[in-house]
Amino acid sequence: MKDVATAAGVALKTVSRVVNGEPGVHPATAERVRAAIDRLGYSRNESARVLRSGRTATIGLVIEDVADPFYSGLSRAVEGVVIGHGCLLLSGSSGEEPGRERELVETFCARRVDGLIMVPAGDDHTYLWAELETGTPVVFADRPPGSGIDVDTVLTDNAGGAALAVRHLLGHGHHRIAFLGDDPEIYTAAERLRGYRAALGGLFDERLVWMGPPSPDPVRAALDGMFTLESPPTALFTGNGRYTVTTLRALAGRRVALVGFDDFELADLLDPAVSTVAQDPSWMGRVAAELLFRRLRGDTGRPEHIELPVRLIPRGSGELPPPPR
Amino acid sequence: MKDVATAAGVALKTVSRVVNGEPGVHPATAERVRAAIDRLGYSRNESARVLRSGRTATIGLVIEDVADPFYSGLSRAVEGVVIGHGCLLLSGSSGEEPGRERELVETFCARRVDGLIMVPAGDDHTYLWAELETGTPVVFADRPPGSGIDVDTVLTDNAGGAALAVRHLLGHGHHRIAFLGDDPEIYTAAERLRGYRAALGGLFDERLVWMGPPSPDPVRAALDGMFTLESPPTALFTGNGRYTVTTLRALAGRRVALVGFDDFELADLLDPAVSTVAQDPSWMGRVAAELLFRRLRGDTGRPEHIELPVRLIPRGSGELPPPPR
DNA sequence: TTGAAAGCGCTAACAT
DNA sequence: ATGTTAGCGCTTTCAA
């Protein structure tokens, strides 16, 4: 900046004004400065600007895994809003590990992000206290913060979506509906189980519930176990997109009624086409990011707790009737 | 840092030493400092560190779209390597717009990233000259840089993969093999067309080639046109994952032999299961990132041009015989 | 083993 | 409309 000033025959501050588009610079002077900038290939050092001004124009995003379509969709939406506000996005994947989540958050905070959006992996977020006190806004997405923290949160109506799926299957004559989902330690899985159970009421049978990681072998074993019960399931409700796919593979062509939580590409091309309870990851990302920027603009209202609705997309698999007895 | 120093009764420099794990601090002193750090909830201001030291420990990644599984897989792999080197990843999507690509690169450079990995959207990268001269290493992935720039590059064997697909279909008795792919302005699309054409030799017929954006209506129209030819195609080769899916939808159940470039989840569950030419996005990401860190470690050898092999995964659709005449 | 001082490149506050 | 000065929080350099 000093060199540009010398080259343009002005003071350093004038260059700063031009670079920042501040008013009160004579057009001709500004032009001279811009010419010097181009000639010297100058570009402002953001670290220095941040150090002085305290504003980084950076938002941190912690998700579970960029390679998961749900989170990459969410990322893309967050990125869009962030860019639209002239900011840059730092992002990282926790891989469902609380320690990694915390490391990422601490790294982002050390870089003085203006705000943070996170899909938590752990359930203890008291380590955020210090940062929250300095005024950095934090928005939780997809899963709520652990106890002791109350900030803006954007969730999906998980229980409602699960109930929707179960009622849909009940409506098509099923009484034995199994649930396969993630470990209930994961918030969304627990909520979906809750909705499933509530909608089933007296029909609930714990032998038709299996929760664990969505790996092929355990899922196949679980299904085999259920199908050899005296009164086997006639319909399945799968707790997320990965589960749906793993389950479909394990079924190996057997035609069983199925509704899956999470929509996925190609659901319409399978045979039967797969009925799903669809969340909208872009919507969640957009809402979370907008909530964050509202805080950055100075909104100090009470924390918002938004629950996004889901919709059931009937495509065939969820409308299969129970087999005749 | 000053406050921590005061609290611990040492000089500021000693705190700096402890924070950076520099040697030459008495264990007891270090312990006092660490206690003060915890008590005060201190975390180092990275901007100040960067300003002074010049090293940001940050890598920039420009891709086409995080929400595309190919690029999200690549991102995840890059992130892994970057984190493993104690750095942070800045990433952004160009959305296939050269202007946006350049903006992202400039933003990253203004933030003084230590290095850059990019999937270019445009074909003029002379704007990188200034940055390259300052010693910032740049690695191109998936597509090569425009002329005038020679840096490390990691590509897929696009032409070879296309030829593999075509030879596979020829081997199953097809003579009329259509190609549907992106606009040849996109490097990978042009290369795949080249491989397709080379493998077909005299059988090449430009009426069986359609290139454009992978939108449902145009693709359906193109297919309809080809299938009403006097001598219609008996097999299709689709130029990327999105194309494969769009084409499958447009086929609406018609059984036509098909091999798609890019593997995708669920390819095995469709009927017929889809044969693909599989690239490995994670591998590409890892190789690109490792190339970058090699440069950051000071390797000044000539630019590397790596071409990753692909493999054909036969699943059924590529092995369908031509219909009897 | 520890500390003091200089200064990275910029912007805020205050002149002129 | 333009310039001057101080200082953001840290690392580097040099000294004790």
Side-chain angles (χ1 to χ4, degrees):
Chain A
M1 202 173 250
K2 202 170 74 181
D3 294 348
V4 172
T6 311
V10 295
L12 189 146
K13 176 70 228 196
T14 302
V15 179
S16 170
R17 287 202 177 91
V18 172
V19 167
N20 292 297
E22 284 170 32
V25 178
H26 194 89
T29 315
E31 204 32 69
R32 265 201 347 270
V33 170
R34 261 188 292 272
I37 287 176
D38 283 350
R39 188 145 34 84
L40 275 64
Y42 166 81
S43 104
R44 176 173 63 187
N45 183 319
E46 289 297 310
S47 308
R49 188 188 59 73
V50 168
L51 178 58
R52 189 59 243 243
S53 68
R55 294 144 95 252
T56 60
T58 301
I59 301 297
L61 172 68
V62 179
I63 55 183
E64 205 256 287
D65 180 5
V66 238
D68 179 311
F70 181 82
Y71 295 112
S72 64
L74 187 143
S75 277
R76 184 73 157 107
V78 169
E79 191 188 316
V81 176
V82 167
I83 296 281
H85 284 82
C87 297
L88 208 59
L89 187 67
L90 285 168
S91 70
S93 304
S94 71
E96 208 71 87
E97 291 172 35
R100 183 91 202 86
E101 166 206 307
R102 182 168 178 169
E103 264 174 47
L104 279 167
V105 168
E106 281 169 354
T107 311
F108 290 164
C109 291
R111 305 233 173 196
R112 301 294 185 265
V113 291
D114 291 338
L116 212 49
I117 297 177
M118 50 191 292
V119 175
D123 51 8
D124 177 11
H125 302 104
T126 48
Y127 68 85
L128 281 172
W129 253 109
E131 198 61 25
L132 287 169
E133 271 191 337
T134 71
T136 309
V138 178
V139 175
F140 277 70
D142 196 44
R143 307 169 188 177
S147 60
I149 300 276
D150 185 22
V151 297
D152 291 332
T153 307
V154 187
L155 305 175
T156 289
D157 180 11
N158 292 290
L164 197 63
V166 169
R167 283 199 305 267
H168 187 77
L169 290 166
L170 288 172
H172 282 82
H174 296 274
H175 301 290
R176 299 289 290 167
I177 303 172
F179 176 55
L180 295 103
D182 268 321
D183 198 291
E185 290 224 334
I186 296 178
Y187 170 81
T188 50
E191 281 295 294
R192 291 168 197 177
L193 173 63
R194 191 167 68 78
Y196 160 84
R197 188 166 185 158
L200 273 183
L203 292 173
F204 178 80
D205 178 348
E206 65 181 12
R207 287 170 303 178
L208 297 186
V209 172
W210 194 79
M211 300 182 93
S215 327
D217 291 339
V219 169
R220 196 174 310 115
L223 282 171
D224 287 347
M226 289 180 188
F227 282 122
T228 51
L229 285 177
E230 190 184 354
S231 174
T234 63
L236 307 176
F237 170 52
T238 48
N240 65 46
R242 271 177 300 207
Y243 250 100
T244 307
V245 171
T246 308
T247 302
L248 288 171
R249 286 219 175 82
L251 285 176
R254 252 180 300 184
R255 289 178 87 84
V256 181
L258 185 150
V259 175
F261 209 106
D262 283 339
D263 201 26
F264 57 99
E265 170 124 55
L266 300 186
D268 59 319
L269 282 181
L270 296 176
D271 180 34
V274 180
S275 301
T276 59
V277 172
Q279 316 186 58
D280 186 340
S282 304
W283 190 15
M284 181 177 282
R286 227 161 31 235
V287 170
E290 261 146 21
L291 228 39
L292 188 71
F293 280 101
R294 207 164 93 187
R295 295 298 176 190
L296 287 171
R297 277 194 299 274
D299 180 334
T300 54
R302 302 192 44 205
E304 294 242 25
H305 301 132
I306 296 179
E307 197 169 63
L308 302 179
V310 295
R311 65 184 217 282
L312 193 142
I313 306 178
R315 290 206 182 90
S317 74
E319 295 74 43
L320 290 177
R325 308 202 37 136
Chain B
M1 202 172 249
K2 202 171 74 181
D3 294 348
V4 172
T6 311
V10 296
L12 187 148
K13 174 68 227 193
T14 302
V15 179
S16 170
R17 285 200 179 92
V18 172
V19 168
N20 293 297
E22 283 171 32
V25 179
H26 193 90
T29 315
E31 203 34 69
R32 263 200 349 269
V33 170
R34 262 189 291 273
I37 286 176
D38 284 350
R39 188 146 34 83
L40 276 64
Y42 166 81
S43 105
R44 176 172 62 186
N45 182 319
E46 288 297 310
S47 307
R49 187 189 58 74
V50 167
L51 177 59
R52 188 62 243 242
S53 69
R55 293 143 96 254
T56 60
T58 301
I59 301 298
L61 172 69
V62 178
I63 55 183
E64 205 256 287
D65 179 6
V66 239
D68 180 310
F70 182 82
Y71 296 112
S72 64
L74 188 143
S75 277
R76 183 73 156 107
V78 169
E79 189 187 317
V81 175
V82 167
I83 296 281
H85 284 83
C87 297
L88 209 58
L89 188 66
L90 285 170
S91 70
S93 303
S94 72
E96 208 70 88
E97 290 171 35
R100 183 91 202 87
E101 166 205 309
R102 183 168 177 170
E103 265 173 48
L104 278 168
V105 168
E106 281 169 354
T107 310
F108 290 164
C109 291
R111 305 232 172 195
R112 301 295 186 267
V113 291
D114 292 338
L116 212 47
I117 298 176
M118 52 190 290
V119 176
D123 51 7
D124 176 11
H125 303 102
T126 48
Y127 67 85
L128 281 171
W129 252 109
E131 198 61 27
L132 287 169
E133 270 190 338
T134 71
T136 309
V138 178
V139 175
F140 277 70
D142 196 43
R143 307 169 188 176
S147 61
I149 300 276
D150 185 22
V151 297
D152 291 332
T153 307
V154 187
L155 305 175
T156 290
D157 180 10
N158 291 290
L164 197 63
V166 170
R167 284 199 303 268
H168 187 76
L169 289 166
L170 288 171
H172 281 83
H174 297 274
H175 301 290
R176 300 287 289 167
I177 304 171
F179 176 55
L180 295 102
D182 268 320
D183 197 292
E185 289 224 333
I186 295 178
Y187 170 81
T188 49
E191 282 295 294
R192 291 166 198 178
L193 174 64
R194 190 167 69 78
Y196 160 85
R197 187 167 186 157
L200 273 181
L203 291 173
F204 178 80
D205 178 348
E206 64 182 14
R207 289 170 302 177
L208 297 186
V209 172
W210 194 79
M211 300 181 94
S215 328
D217 290 340
V219 170
R220 197 174 310 117
L223 282 171
D224 287 347
M226 288 179 186
F227 283 122
T228 51
L229 285 176
E230 190 184 355
S231 174
T234 63
L236 307 176
F237 170 51
T238 47
N240 65 45
R242 271 176 301 203
Y243 250 101
T244 307
V245 171
T246 308
T247 302
L248 288 171
R249 285 219 176 83
L251 286 176
R254 252 180 301 184
R255 289 178 86 86
V256 181
L258 185 151
V259 175
F261 210 109
D262 283 338
D263 200 27
F264 56 98
E265 170 123 57
L266 299 188
D268 60 318
L269 282 182
L270 295 177
D271 179 35
V274 180
S275 301
T276 59
V277 172
Q279 314 187 60
D280 187 339
S282 304
W283 190 13
M284 182 178 280
R286 226 161 33 235
V287 169
E290 260 147 22
L291 228 38
L292 188 72
F293 280 101
R294 208 165 92 187
R295 296 297 175 190
L296 287 171
R297 277 195 298 273
D299 180 335
T300 54
R302 303 193 42 205
E304 295 243 24
H305 300 133
I306 295 179
E307 197 169 63
L308 302 178
V310 295
R311 63 185 218 283
L312 192 141
I313 306 178
R315 289 204 182 93
S317 74
E319 295 72 44
L320 291 176
R325 311 204 31 137

